[in-house]
Amino acid sequence: MPDVSDAVAYDAVVLAGGSARRLGGADKPGVRVGGRALLDRVLAACADAAVTVVVAEPRATARPVRWAREDPPGGGPVAALDAGLRHTTAPYVVVLSADLPFLDEKTVRRLLDALAGADAATVPHAAPGAPEGGSAALAAPPSASREMRGSPGTLEEAPPALDPASADRRSTDAAAPAGSPSEGAAQDAPVAPPSPGTPPEQAASTAQGASAGTVTPPDRSRTAEGPSPTAGEKHVTDADARPDGVVLTDPDGRDQPLVAAYRTHALRRELAVLGAAHGGLGGLPLRRLVAALDLLRLSDPVASFDCDTWDDIAAARARIREHGHVLDEWITAVKDELGIDLDVDTGVLLDLARDAAHAVARPAAPLTTFLVGYAAARAGGGPEAVAEASRKATALALRWAAEDAPDTAPDAAKGSSPKAATEPDAG
C-alpha cells in the first residue's frame, strides 16, 4: 500500500482519565516505563497530529496538548471520546489509550495509511461534490473479501508473556469509569506473544482478528435488506463501501478500539445515535460504539500491548532493557528528558566513541561525544551539524592513532636511523 500518511491531516484523542483499578488506583498515565511516563510515550507516537486532545485532568506533559473532560467526570470511555472529539476538526482521528508503551509513529502512520488508502480505493471516480457514501463509490459486494497487505509489526518481538495468575483482563461488556484508557475496550485476555510464524487465530466473530501483517476487510453482511439495527448500529449498503476505521488487533485477534484510526464523521454519527437512544453517553461500554462501525483490522501484537496490571508494566520494563531495544529506548528517553527534538545517526556517534576509546584512551569516548554535541549545538544544531562534528573528531582520533604506528616516521628521516637523523653535522 502506498505511503499516504504524510499527506493525511489527522487529530488525536488520548483517553487518560481511567481509575486504574487493576493498579490499585495508581496514576497509570504517569507510571514510567524506560524512564518515560506512559502518557508521554503515547503522545510521542502522535506528535504530528494537527491537534492532540487528552481527556483527563491536566498534568505536565513532554509536549503541549489540549485538555478535555467528560461531563460528568467518570462517565466512561464513550463519554470521554465524545468530549475529546469536540475539540477536533480533521477528517481522520487517531484514538489511543494512555497505556501503550510500545506504540510509535510508524504504527500510527500504518493505521492512517490503511484507512486513507481504503477511502481512496473505494471512491476513485467520485464526481466533484458527490455526497459521502453516494452512488459514485465503488463498493465490493457483501460476500467479497478485500485484503490489503500491511507491513509487519514495527517491533520484531512480542513482549514477555505474563504470569497466568495475573491474566484476568478487562471484559468488553463492562462499562469503564472516567474515560478509562483501557477498561470497557474489547480486551479480556492476557497479551502473549504468538508462536514464530504463526498468525493469530481467525475468530468467527467480525470483532476478532486477522492474520499477522494483513489488513482484514470490514464485515459487509449488514445490508439494507438485513434485520433492523439495534440502537447504536446502522444499516450498511453497497453504496457505503468506505471503512469507518482501522483498529489494531492483539495476538489473540481481539480488536483494540483504543489503538485505532477512524473517520471523524463516522464516530460523531454513531455517538449521536447512541446518545439519542440512551439519553446520554455516560456509563456506556465502548463495544456499543465500535459494534456499529465497519472496521478494517491490522495485526500488531507489540504495538497493541497495553498495561493494565503491575505484571504488564514489569513485562514492558523488562522488554525495553533487552539488547535489541535498550539503546534506542535510552537515547529517546534522554532526548525527552533534555527537551531535544533531534534525530541523529547513533551509529556515527558509536563509531566515534569506539575510535576515541581505541586510539586515545577509554575515557576519551564519552568526553569526545560530549564535545561533538556541544560543537554541533554551537554550529546551529541539526543532524548535519552532528555528522560534521563527528567526522572531524573521528579523523582526529585516526590521526592520533597513526602517530603511534611503528612504521610512521618523518619524511626527512626515511632511509636513516633515528639517531642519524637527529645528530649534528660532524664537520
Side-chain angles (χ1 to χ4, degrees):
M1 182 184 304
D3 183 5
V4 297
S5 56
D6 289 343
V8 173
Y10 80 98
D11 294 329
V13 174
V14 181
L15 305 190
S19 61
R21 289 174 295 178
R22 291 186 176 92
L23 291 179
D27 175 26
K28 187 185 346 185
V31 171
R32 293 185 179 273
V33 173
R36 302 162 66 204
L38 283 171
L39 176 57
D40 284 337
R41 297 177 75 93
V42 172
L43 292 178
C46 57
D48 58 347
V51 173
T52 299
V53 185
V54 179
V55 186
E57 290 296 325
R59 64 169 68 223
T61 53
R63 71 177 182 87
V65 298
R66 294 187 185 179
W67 297 94
R69 201 71 168 112
E70 71 273 25
D71 186 19
V78 177
L81 177 56
D82 180 66
L85 281 178
R86 294 177 186 274
H87 298 268
T88 65
T89 58
Y92 299 105
V93 60
V94 172
V95 178
L96 306 168
S97 62
D99 60 350
L100 302 164
F102 304 125
L103 186 70
D104 59 16
E105 288 182 284
K106 291 181 181 178
T107 305
V108 170
R109 288 170 184 158
R110 289 175 62 216
L111 290 167
L112 290 166
D113 285 346
L115 181 56
D119 275 0
T122 53
V123 286
H125 304 299
E132 183 175 358
S135 59
L138 299 182
S143 59
S145 174
R146 293 190 294 123
E147 287 201 3
M148 294 173 291
R149 286 288 170 183
S151 59
T154 54
L155 299 177
E156 294 179 355
E157 305 168 19
L162 304 184
D163 183 346
S166 64
D168 51 317
R169 308 292 281 189
R170 53 202 156 198
S171 169
T172 63
D173 295 331
S180 168
S182 52
E183 292 168 14
Q187 303 171 1
D188 56 7
V191 174
S195 301
T198 302
E201 286 189 359
Q202 184 72 35
S205 167
T206 60
Q208 293 184 332
S211 60
T214 62
V215 178
T216 304
D219 178 13
R220 299 297 180 195
S221 59
R222 292 177 291 132
T223 67
E225 292 73 35
S228 299
T230 58
E233 290 191 311
K234 68 181 179 69
H235 285 308
V236 179
T237 66
D238 287 354
D240 190 16
R242 287 183 289 179
D244 293 323
V246 180
V247 299
L248 287 193
T249 60
D250 67 16
D252 295 317
R254 276 180 288 268
D255 288 354
Q256 306 294 297
L258 296 184
V259 199
Y262 299 96
R263 284 196 288 141
T264 308
H265 167 79
L267 285 181
R268 289 192 174 126
R269 177 193 68 214
E270 297 307 326
L271 286 167
V273 171
L274 279 176
H278 296 274
L281 299 173
L284 293 179
L286 198 59
R287 64 180 178 83
R288 291 284 186 89
L289 175 66
V290 297
L293 299 171
D294 292 300
L295 303 173
L296 296 170
R297 291 167 174 84
L298 190 62
S299 175
D300 195 322
V302 176
S304 63
F305 180 82
D306 53 10
C307 293
D308 285 336
T309 68
W310 288 113
D311 283 340
D312 295 340
I313 291 170
R317 287 171 171 170
R319 185 180 190 279
I320 66 171
R321 284 169 170 78
E322 293 174 359
H323 176 70
H325 312 293
V326 65
L327 191 58
D328 286 340
E329 288 284 352
W330 170 248
I331 294 299
T332 301
V334 171
K335 292 193 297 185
D336 191 51
E337 190 72 16
L338 299 179
I340 299 172
D341 184 15
L342 176 66
D343 290 326
V344 297
D345 187 342
T346 55
V348 169
L349 293 176
L350 288 175
D351 288 345
L352 167 61
R354 177 201 63 207
D355 291 338
H358 291 172
V360 185
R362 293 181 67 85
L367 293 174
T368 304
T369 52
F370 163 76
L371 291 172
V372 162
Y374 182 76
R378 292 193 62 185
E384 297 82 4
V386 174
E388 177 62 14
S390 298
R391 184 193 64 77
K392 290 181 177 179
T394 297
L396 174 62
L398 295 177
R399 292 198 305 270
W400 183 290
E403 292 178 8
D404 202 30
D407 59 347
T408 301
D411 291 340
K414 286 185 178 179
S416 304
S417 67
K419 181 178 180 181
T422 57
E423 286 178 346
D425 292 340

